[in-house]
Structures are given as C-alpha cells and as structure tokens.
Amino acid sequence: MLWSGWGDPARATALPDPVAALLRELLGVRPAAVPTVALQDVEVPDSRLAPDDLAALAADVGAAHVRTGAEARIRHTRGRSTSDLLRIRAGEVSDAPDAVVLPASHDEVLAVLRTCTARRIAVVPYGGGTSVVGALTPPRASLPGGRTGGFAALDLRRMDALVTLDETSRTAVLEPGLRGPAAEALLGARGYTLGHFPQSFAWASVGGFAAARSSGQASAGYGRFDDMVVALTAATPEGTLELGRAPKSAAGPDLRQLVLGSEGAFGVITSVTVRVHPVPETRAYEGWRFASFEQGTAALRGLAQDGPLPAVLRLSDEAETMAGLADPAAIGSSRDAGCLAVLGFEGTRAAVAGRRARAAEALAAAGGEPLGAGPGDRWEHGRFDAPYLRDALLDAGAFVETLETAAFWSGVPRLYEAVRCALTGALSGAGTPPLVMCHISHVYPSGASLYFTVVCAQGTDPVAHWAAAKRAACDAIAEAGGTISHHHGVGTDHRDWYAREIGPLGGAVLRAVKDRLDPAGILSPGVLVPGE
Amino acid sequence: MLWSGWGDPARATALPDPVAALLRELLGVRPAAVPTVALQDVEVPDSRLAPDDLAALAADVGAAHVRTGAEARIRHTRGRSTSDLLRIRAGEVSDAPDAVVLPASHDEVLAVLRTCTARRIAVVPYGGGTSVVGALTPPRASLPGGRTGGFAALDLRRMDALVTLDETSRTAVLEPGLRGPAAEALLGARGYTLGHFPQSFAWASVGGFAAARSSGQASAGYGRFDDMVVALTAATPEGTLELGRAPKSAAGPDLRQLVLGSEGAFGVITSVTVRVHPVPETRAYEGWRFASFEQGTAALRGLAQDGPLPAVLRLSDEAETMAGLADPAAIGSSRDAGCLAVLGFEGTRAAVAGRRARAAEALAAAGGEPLGAGPGDRWEHGRFDAPYLRDALLDAGAFVETLETAAFWSGVPRLYEAVRCALTGALSGAGTPPLVMCHISHVYPSGASLYFTVVCAQGTDPVAHWAAAKRAACDAIAEAGGTISHHHGVGTDHRDWYAREIGPLGGAVLRAVKDRLDPAGILSPGVLVPGE
C-alpha cells in the first residue's frame, strides 16, 4: 500500500488533461501548493513505549514481530480518509503508533492484550488500514495515562489462513488478517467465493470487514459482511468469546451482532465463520437509464421489494451520471443525461437469463431505458479504481471525499436533499463550492443506502474546511433520521452522531459491555463507544 | 385461552378411539389417574404485595388495571409447556403472580418499572402466555427479597394498536400486545401481511414474538420474526431505548439484536417496526415423499442453498411421517412410508408457478416423489391444531412434549441422532419408552432447525420424568454443537445450557447489560441471564 495514498504505487495515474481543465473551470481548482513529502523525510515522534514494554511484547509474539522502526510506524499511521491522506502527505504523523505488533494466533493476541492491560498500553487492531472514519487513531486524551500514554498497532497480517471449508454447510473459517484478494484466491481454488467486493477489496481485511460491518458492491446478491458471518471468535482482555452454533437461534440476544461492528473497542476478532458460495457460472452487467433519481429510486425499490434482485444494483443521481463517476476511466467525458443504473447478475446461465428477463420487464415498466452491457461492463472494469483517482485529484489540487448513510425508503428523498444542501452550503460558504454527487448502492426491502461523493477546490485549509462540512452533513443525517453510517463505520469521526443515534441509554449499554470486556480501557480508546 | 390447556375451550376435541388404542398398545398409555381440577377449586397463595404497593401501581395505570383476583392470577400462572399444564391441571399455582398489571402505553410501562424498582417488586412481561420454556416463572429464590418477594405479571394486551403503516418502506409499527390474528386483521384490512405464523399464532403476541425470537411456519419465505424487526422501542428501569434508523447500518454493534431475544430481562418492548408484505395473490401447498430423512434433508439443503425457496418448507422424519403428525386430524391413520415433505409457495400466480416448477425439478433430481396438493393442504388445514391435540393426549393419559434446536448442515445428522438417543434412553429408563419424532421446519443456507415431538405414557411422575429426559436432551444438544433453542427461547428451563453455549464471558456480558438497564434486578429475575 502506498504510504501516503492508495494501493499499488505502480498503478497510480495522473488526471487526464480535460478533467483537470474542467475542474479548473467548474470548481476553481488550482494546483496544490504543497507537494507530498518523501517518506524518508517524515519525522516520527519518539516512541512512548519503554524498553521493558517492548520486551514484554516481544515475549508474547517474538522479537521479530514487534516493530518500532520509522517506516513501520508511518505505514500504520491513521487510515485512508482524505483528511488522513492530506495530513500524511504533508508529513504530519503525530498520531503514529508507538509500536507495531504482529501476533500469529488467537493465543498470542490474548497474551498481547494481557500484557497491554497490565502495562496500560493502548491497542488498536489493524487489518488493511483502510478505515475512512478515524478508527485507527485513538485521540491522545483517550489513551490510558492520557497524553503521555502510548499505543500499539496490532497488525493481524500474520493470521491469514483459510482454516476450514465446510462444503456441506457452505461455510468457511477465515482468519482476520486475510485481505480480500487472498481470501478469494484461497476459496476460489476450492471453487468458492465470498461474494464480498467493497471498493477497499484489494487492501481491506476479513477482520476489518467484520469489525466495521463492511458492505460490498454485490450486497444485493450476497448480503453485507455482517450477514455472512455465522460464527466468530474474539480475544478480549478478559478472555475469549466464541459465538455462533447455528445460522439463527432463539437462545437469547444475538451476541455475534454485538461483536460485529465493535471496531476493536470490545476485543480482537481472531476468526470468523462465513457463508461461501460456489463461484458463479456466469456474471453479466448491464446499464439502464432513468429520467430522474426519483424515478430510478422507485425502480430500485421495486426490485428490492418484489424482485428479482440482481447481485449488484446501483443508481447514480443526475450529477454523478453527468460526471461519469460510474466509469472512472471516462470521468468528465460523459454527457449522459438522466440517471444511470448498473445491474449485475450472477449465477447459473439459466438463472441469470431468467432474472435478467424479469428484471428488464420490471425496470421497463418503471420507466427505465435499457443501455445494454456497455455501461455495466465499464463500471465493473473500474469498480475498484476510485481511490486511485482520488490520489490524482489531490495531486491536481482538488479535494474529494465521500460519506454515506442509509434510511428507510420513505425517508430517502428528504435525507438525500438534506445532505446535499448541508455539503453545498458549508463548502460554498468556505469559498470552495463543491460538486456533490450521490448514488444508491445497497438496497433492502425496507430501505437503501445513499453514498455521496464531494469534489471541490482544496482552498486554504482543506482539512478544516472538510471537518466543518462533514459536521454539517452529519447533523443533516441525524436530523433527517438517517443512520450515521451504512458501511464505513463509526470510528472517532462519527462517534458524537452515533451517540445521538443510539441515545444516552444505548451509549450506556455499550459502555457497560466495554467496561466488562476491557476494564482497563486499552482497546481502541476513543473509538466507537460514546462518552469516553 | 383455556386456563388449564390450549386455546378456545369450544375447540377442544377428544382423541379418536383408534389413536387411543394405538397409544395403549404401542406405548402402554393408561388413562390419567388425576382429572383436571375445576378453576373455582384452585387455591391461589396470598398476594405478597402490600396495599401501598398496589396503590402505587394503580396510580401508574389506573385502579381498574391492577388485578389481584384469583382468576386473573391463575390465568397468568406460568406458560404452556406440558409440565406447566400438568401442574396447573392438578391445581398447583404456587408460581402465580401476585398481581396482574395492564399498562396502556410506553409511558405507563416506564412508570410501572420505576415503581417496581423503588419497591423491589419483580416484573414479568406477559404477552400471550404461550412460553414453553418457563419464561413467565421467575424462580422464587431469584425474586428481589428472595422467597418473600412478590412479582407482577405485566400484561400488555391493552397495547394492541397498529400505530402506523409505511407503504413506501413496507413497514408497520405494531404495539406488543397485538396477538397474531389481530395483527393480521389490521394489516390485512390495508392489504398487507406479516407472514408470521408460528404454531402459537392464535394466542401469542407481537412483543413475545420479538422478545423470544419466534420463527413462523413460513420462515423460509418471510424470515424469522427477528429478521422482520427493523426498529424497536423498549422501556427499561433506566429509561427508553429507541433503536433502528435504517434496515442495516455500520454504526456500531446492532443493538436491536441485543433487545430481540432478551425475553423481558433487559426491558419491555413497547413497539416494533416490522417489515410487511402485500397479501399474496395465491398460496399453494404440496407434498413430496423421500425415501429417507437423510435424502430429504439433502433435498431441503439444496433448495436452501441454490433455491428456489418456498415460503413453507418442512420435512418429517420416518417416525413422524408414519405417525401422520403433519395432519393432526388423521393422526395414527397414516401408513405412509418414507419421509413427507411439505412445501408452500406464496406470491403472484406467475411467480408461484415459476418457483414451483423449478423446485419440482430440483426435488425430483434429489430423489423426491411428488404427492400433489393433498398432503400439503392437509398440513395447512391442521397447522395450528397440535396444541389442541396435546390437551386430548394429556386427558387420555399420554405425555407429549416438544423441543427444538438448530445447527449447521454438516452437524445436523449427529445432532439428530444424539437427541433421539438421549430422549429414548432417558424415558425408557423411567419405564415410559417414547415415540420420538422429528421434523425440519426452518432452513437457512448454512443450516437448519430440528423439532422433536415426544409421546409416551405419563407414568408415575411425568413432570419429574420429563425434567430428566429434557436434561439429557439438552446435554446432547450442547455436546453435539447445536443451539439450545431455535425458536422457543431460553426462559428458565434452558438457562444452564444457554450459559454453556455462550461461555462464561458471554454470560458476563449479558449480566453487565442487565445490571446497567435493570440495576435492581426486577425484570424477569432468573430468566435468560446466567448466574443470577
């Protein structure tokens, strides 16, 4: 992973000239004043861990797996939100972990948690490092010992096995450090797939998918990651949780759902048992055009409620369709009117043909115009490329960021308008009027997600400007009745709005669970749980 | 509800003579020595609530809604397990609540919980009274104040509104006291259905469905009740929980899933927002025969994993098929060989025709033999009648009880054998060799439920004999890796095995949540939460 941006540095691309020109004319984007510093010039603060702390950790996982070098610490600094990138590109790594610890097993994780509890060292579980909500950055004031406390990034990359595959139950036991492509390769060799393809797929990890309730681009067909998990094991400072003896149970509250989404604040997920599927015989993507976002939304709702449901189902609003974001390779060159929907079908040839035909009938009846395979294939081709595009935009002096929410269908129009208005108002007020685009990419019978992309000029202080705009958007989400995150999580960035969402008593319940599992408060302090 | 048995007394039926003869010959069933006592002869223990306790409760809900008469207290004594019935038929009501309190609103529930917290009066939420796991019976030792403490049944029948129907989101807000038929009538008048039809449908309540994670006979098509709930409100001694802003969210743990299944131990569910569906254009049931339970199980697994999934999907084992339990009206008269499967399809005529054809193809390929509509229609006709049959069996001197579990598909055969052996061994050892029957009635891609029905002679002490057999079955479930309940819940009966299932740390988490929401421990003491 590029330390100061996204993905494989060899795949970085510059912004096409026409796009740069468009950004200049439309949004007043000017080349960034400050170039990215070089890795070797970044100054890391001194580690706050004492030699005997490091020796104790080395006793738990082996000395080779406790790293305190500058590069390891820089590479584990924060996540991949745009603000994270702007800060690290400027060489600002004040939030760097004091050490990187790499356990190889559940028992080693338990040992590290015991050591860190005894020594009041904070621990932040680290999978792919792709958080965009500040989940990897414990606020200094939240650290045990306050501003003087240190923290270790618990990098789970060595726990990367496909432990077992149960072909009868169609489940697999996966370790948390497996990244998307490795998990798919191991399962694919046996003829199976998870069907989980979030935009962060290439880098994000199985443990992170579970801990942050990730949702992939084929969620309509395969479900969200939290739907896929039927059992899990977690290591906590107080011991081990092993949960899930059946797909569903009436034996009390579903404690799996308390660990899923806990973002490292309750424990470290050390294995998940997930549903797997035979690799589909065929996949087919296609595009549809709707006259308006409202018309397209109604059509998607029809498929979500009455079927047939494709594996992939997404709808760009007018602005995103116009910008051509559904096809990053062609961004800026699209002149499409209306709203583009992309459908992807997976399964046997016969099943795909049947579902496509029935979906086509339903979409045509809802006012859709079929565009054939072209737009679908282009979306599929570029589906993981947007984060690379962000690096190019940042290089060109543009600011680009995303945020997302979800609501019940009847609340979607109000939520859509509220968030657009808040973002446009806040950024225009800061002198950087934005282009605000949106798509629906996850649908349910009772509601849907809204995913916003914002582009504007960086202006004088993009981190501060965005923080203000994000606050306005989060307030708008809370007031319009949406959830503060559909699939990015809470982290530190969303914690205040999450507290509003679950109310003081909901927050108190989380605090009680946290205090029981992590009485010293070492796990991801300041992340998720309100009122720390 | 019949105070000493099931349902509408006018619908009670005697056992057909040939069945009685069969039970006599096969299982040594002899007429019960003790007839059911008359309601007016039952002696209720004195209420442990003081006059000022009752006055305080009357101030909360109105004097007319605090009942201490013998009949009200008898009618709220325990639930509807066979042991519950045997004890109440004998006039044994030592577990009667000390008062029955009927609140009319969320705020009245909050007020009652505050009053009962202040006065250390235990509160057991009461919906339809159909628990079969002892969830309505706090052990005396668990009551605040120990054996001298009193408890109130909080009967929610006055909270029985369809609050709102959101046709766009296809959701409805329902109050907890609504019973199955009333909920269906209110929704049906608007063209909608919940699709939730457990065997207890006629008497069980919406709040109970949620609090105990009920699963209906059409769960393959409509999902379990916990799947249907997208938002809920609960009143706790510490205040209100309002949870659920979207169908799914990545905003932290899913706290809805902590309240669902909490069986009154954390709070009182005062409303649920549930998914609803347009009343289907048509319903069609059909029967299939498989040579063995193993063959039929594989066929069901195929439908659960590769589709098409009917709304109703169930498979009786050889014993249950032979006994004809799928058609209570004809019990004992069946001479069917093999294993009977019942499928029910719901939806538009076109969709039903399509799914039936594809299912038929899959089942035939899996070795099934189509039996046409007859067996399906007979099952559908008698689907809610088994509890009436139980009363007739008890009258005739037979003992009959059910228990259920679930596991991942690969674990189903071992679980099936383990539970059968445990039940047969324990009851044979007690001198009452049983007929043990089983069916699969809820399927998932990764696993299924197993539902056992046991019939034997009552013997000398049926309550004690069954307690021992049930312990043996629960041990077998735990050892074979099943969950202690797929849809009956934990209550008091399953609490020890539930503690094993979630482990000491899982139990400690529940205890922490309980202590935070109900610090005085007034809510359903001794129910669900381990270690009380």
Side-chain angles (χ1 to χ4, degrees):
Chain A
M1 174 79 94
L2 178 62
W3 71 280
S4 61
W6 185 258
D8 177 359
R11 290 193 55 198
T13 46
L15 214 56
D17 282 342
V19 181
L22 208 66
L23 290 170
R24 206 159 44 236
E25 288 161 31
L26 212 64
L27 302 174
V29 169
R30 295 288 171 272
V34 188
T36 301
V37 301
L39 177 56
Q40 64 271 22
D41 295 336
V42 175
E43 287 186 27
V44 190
D46 290 340
S47 173
R48 290 161 290 187
L49 298 186
D52 62 329
D53 290 333
L54 298 172
L57 291 167
D60 293 332
V61 298
H65 306 300
V66 178
R67 303 198 183 150
T68 52
E71 182 168 344
R73 292 175 59 205
I74 293 168
R75 287 186 177 280
H76 290 81
T77 300
R78 309 190 192 99
R80 286 297 180 272
S81 74
T82 298
S83 298
D84 288 343
L85 296 190
L86 287 169
R87 292 170 71 195
I88 206 164
R89 287 159 68 102
E92 203 281 85
V93 292
S94 58
D95 293 327
D98 298 280
V100 180
V101 178
L102 299 100
S105 68
H106 176 84
D107 287 345
E108 287 192 7
V109 174
L110 280 177
V112 169
L113 295 182
R114 275 193 299 265
T115 296
C116 290
T117 295
R119 295 172 173 273
R120 296 294 187 273
I121 301 166
V123 174
V124 178
Y126 190 100
T130 59
S131 171
V132 291
V133 294
L136 304 174
T137 319
R140 292 216 152 202
S142 303
L143 294 175
R147 301 190 65 81
T148 59
F151 84 95
L154 190 75
D155 189 321
L156 298 158
R157 72 179 61 190
R158 292 173 68 211
M159 297 174 66
D160 63 350
L162 162 58
V163 182
T164 58
L165 173 66
D166 175 348
E167 297 195 72
T168 303
S169 307
R170 289 202 187 157
T171 59
V173 178
L174 304 179
E175 286 191 322
L178 269 174
R179 292 192 175 164
E184 283 298 320
L186 288 168
L187 290 170
R190 308 280 294 271
Y192 291 87
T193 178
L194 266 176
H196 187 69
F197 301 105
Q199 199 169 65
S200 59
F201 171 74
W203 301 92
S205 69
V206 162
F209 293 154
R213 293 185 178 270
S214 171
S215 191
Q217 292 164 347
S219 65
Y222 295 92
R224 302 159 55 87
F225 200 79
D226 48 17
D227 290 332
M228 298 177 189
V229 176
V230 294
L232 58 83
T233 306
T236 82
E238 292 287 293
T240 295
L241 284 171
E242 273 192 87
L243 301 168
R245 287 177 155 235
K248 293 282 181 173
S249 168
D254 190 344
L255 293 178
R256 297 173 295 199
Q257 298 296 329
L258 196 61
V259 177
L260 295 167
S262 63
E263 300 187 7
F266 293 167
V268 181
I269 294 170
T270 53
S271 82
V272 291
T273 307
V274 287
R275 291 173 48 198
V276 296
H277 307 263
V279 172
E281 186 179 301
T282 188
R283 292 188 171 97
Y285 300 93
E286 60 186 41
W288 285 75
R289 189 202 316 276
F290 291 90
S292 67
F293 195 49
E294 186 184 354
Q295 187 192 52
T297 300
L300 263 63
R301 178 163 64 84
L303 293 186
Q305 293 180 336
D306 297 318
L309 205 52
V312 172
L313 182 58
R314 50 190 293 130
L315 172 75
S316 296
D317 72 353
E318 290 86 348
E320 188 172 293
T321 302
M322 176 71 83
L325 257 206
D327 174 14
I331 187 167
S333 66
S334 166
R335 288 295 173 269
D336 291 339
C339 291
L340 175 67
V342 170
L343 281 69
F345 297 88
E346 308 196 355
T348 63
R349 283 191 180 78
V352 165
R355 281 204 297 278
R356 277 185 90 166
R358 285 179 289 134
E361 206 175 304
L363 293 185
E369 174 199 345
L371 302 177
D377 289 342
R378 284 194 293 278
W379 169 81
E380 200 277 331
H381 183 74
R383 63 197 288 191
F384 302 124
D385 290 350
Y388 287 106
L389 179 65
R390 176 173 61 170
D391 285 343
L393 285 164
L394 293 179
D395 287 342
F399 177 92
V400 58
E401 185 54 294
T402 64
L403 60 86
E404 38 79 66
T405 176
F408 298 112
W409 285 111
S410 58
V412 164
R414 184 177 151 219
L415 181 60
Y416 172 71
E417 285 307 330
V419 175
R420 271 162 46 99
C421 282
L423 289 169
T424 305
L427 289 167
S428 299
T432 53
L435 175 64
V436 180
M437 301 165 282
C438 183
H439 65 250
I440 291 175
S441 48
H442 306 270
V443 299
Y444 307 91
S446 61
S449 70
L450 289 174
Y451 189 97
F452 294 89
T453 302
V454 182
V455 186
C456 62
Q458 285 182 14
T460 48
D461 187 349
V463 172
H465 289 173
W466 175 249
K470 179 75 187 270
R471 276 195 301 275
C474 290
D475 285 342
I477 288 171
E479 281 152 26
T483 178
I484 197 62
S485 173
H486 172 268
H487 59 271
H488 283 169
V490 175
T492 50
D493 293 359
H494 291 153
R495 203 173 63 140
D496 293 347
W497 292 273
Y498 178 50
R500 280 169 72 175
E501 185 168 330
I502 60 173
L505 194 56
V509 167
L510 290 186
R511 167 58 49 197
V513 173
K514 165 93 173 167
D515 289 346
R516 184 62 188 81
L517 294 174
D518 176 24
I522 61 159
L523 276 165
S524 293
V527 168
L528 184 72
V529 183
E532 198 154 32
Chain B
M1 174 80 96
L2 177 62
W3 70 280
S4 61
W6 184 258
D8 179 359
R11 289 193 55 199
T13 47
L15 215 56
D17 282 341
V19 181
L22 208 67
L23 291 170
R24 208 161 40 234
E25 288 161 32
L26 213 64
L27 302 175
V29 169
R30 295 291 171 268
V34 190
T36 302
V37 301
L39 177 56
Q40 64 269 25
D41 295 334
V42 176
E43 285 186 29
V44 190
D46 290 341
S47 173
R48 289 162 289 187
L49 299 186
D52 63 326
D53 290 333
L54 298 172
L57 291 168
D60 292 333
V61 299
H65 306 300
V66 179
R67 302 196 184 151
T68 53
E71 181 168 343
R73 292 175 58 205
I74 293 168
R75 286 186 177 279
H76 290 81
T77 300
R78 308 189 193 100
R80 286 295 180 273
S81 74
T82 298
S83 298
D84 289 343
L85 296 191
L86 287 168
R87 291 169 71 195
I88 205 164
R89 287 160 67 103
E92 205 282 84
V93 293
S94 59
D95 291 329
D98 298 280
V100 180
V101 179
L102 299 101
S105 68
H106 176 84
D107 287 346
E108 287 193 5
V109 174
L110 280 177
V112 168
L113 296 181
R114 275 193 298 264
T115 294
C116 290
T117 295
R119 294 171 174 272
R120 295 295 188 272
I121 302 166
V123 175
V124 178
Y126 190 101
T130 60
S131 171
V132 292
V133 294
L136 304 174
T137 319
R140 289 215 156 201
S142 304
L143 294 176
R147 300 188 66 80
T148 60
F151 84 95
L154 191 74
D155 187 322
L156 298 158
R157 73 178 62 189
R158 294 173 67 210
M159 297 175 65
D160 63 351
L162 162 58
V163 181
T164 57
L165 173 68
D166 176 347
E167 298 194 71
T168 303
S169 308
R170 290 201 186 159
T171 59
V173 179
L174 304 178
E175 285 191 322
L178 267 174
R179 293 191 175 165
E184 283 297 320
L186 288 168
L187 290 170
R190 308 278 296 270
Y192 290 87
T193 178
L194 265 175
H196 186 67
F197 301 104
Q199 201 171 61
S200 59
F201 171 72
W203 300 93
S205 69
V206 162
F209 293 154
R213 294 186 177 271
S214 173
S215 190
Q217 293 165 347
S219 65
Y222 295 92
R224 303 159 55 86
F225 200 80
D226 48 18
D227 289 332
M228 299 178 190
V229 175
V230 294
L232 59 83
T233 306
T236 83
E238 292 287 292
T240 296
L241 284 171
E242 273 192 87
L243 301 168
R245 287 175 156 237
K248 293 281 181 174
S249 168
D254 189 344
L255 293 178
R256 297 173 295 198
Q257 298 295 331
L258 197 61
V259 178
L260 295 167
S262 64
E263 300 188 7
F266 292 168
V268 180
I269 294 170
T270 54
S271 80
V272 290
T273 306
V274 287
R275 290 174 49 200
V276 296
H277 308 264
V279 172
E281 187 178 300
T282 189
R283 292 189 171 97
Y285 300 94
E286 61 186 42
W288 285 74
R289 190 199 317 274
F290 291 91
S292 68
F293 195 51
E294 187 184 352
Q295 188 192 52
T297 300
L300 262 63
R301 178 164 64 85
L303 294 186
Q305 292 181 336
D306 296 319
L309 203 52
V312 173
L313 183 58
R314 51 191 294 128
L315 172 75
S316 295
D317 71 355
E318 289 85 349
E320 188 173 292
T321 301
M322 176 71 83
L325 256 206
D327 174 14
I331 185 169
S333 66
S334 167
R335 290 292 173 271
D336 290 342
C339 291
L340 175 67
V342 170
L343 281 70
F345 297 89
E346 308 195 356
T348 63
R349 284 190 180 79
V352 164
R355 281 204 299 276
R356 279 183 89 166
R358 283 180 289 133
E361 206 175 304
L363 293 186
E369 174 199 344
L371 302 177
D377 288 342
R378 284 194 293 277
W379 171 80
E380 200 274 332
H381 183 72
R383 62 199 287 194
F384 302 124
D385 290 350
Y388 287 105
L389 179 63
R390 175 173 60 169
D391 286 343
L393 285 164
L394 293 180
D395 287 342
F399 178 91
V400 56
E401 185 53 298
T402 64
L403 60 84
E404 36 81 66
T405 176
F408 299 111
W409 286 111
S410 58
V412 163
R414 185 177 150 222
L415 180 60
Y416 173 70
E417 286 306 331
V419 176
R420 268 162 47 98
C421 284
L423 289 169
T424 305
L427 289 168
S428 300
T432 54
L435 176 64
V436 179
M437 301 166 280
C438 183
H439 64 249
I440 291 175
S441 48
H442 305 270
V443 298
Y444 306 91
S446 60
S449 69
L450 288 174
Y451 188 97
F452 294 89
T453 302
V454 182
V455 185
C456 61
Q458 284 181 15
T460 48
D461 188 348
V463 171
H465 289 173
W466 176 249
K470 179 74 188 273
R471 276 196 300 276
C474 290
D475 285 342
I477 288 170
E479 282 152 27
T483 178
I484 197 60
S485 173
H486 172 267
H487 60 274
H488 284 168
V490 175
T492 51
D493 294 358
H494 291 153
R495 204 173 63 141
D496 293 347
W497 292 273
Y498 179 50
R500 278 168 74 174
E501 184 167 331
I502 60 174
L505 195 55
V509 167
L510 289 187
R511 168 59 48 198
V513 173
K514 166 92 173 167
D515 289 345
R516 185 62 187 83
L517 295 175
D518 176 24
I522 60 159
L523 276 165
S524 294
V527 169
L528 184 73
V529 183
E532 201 155 29

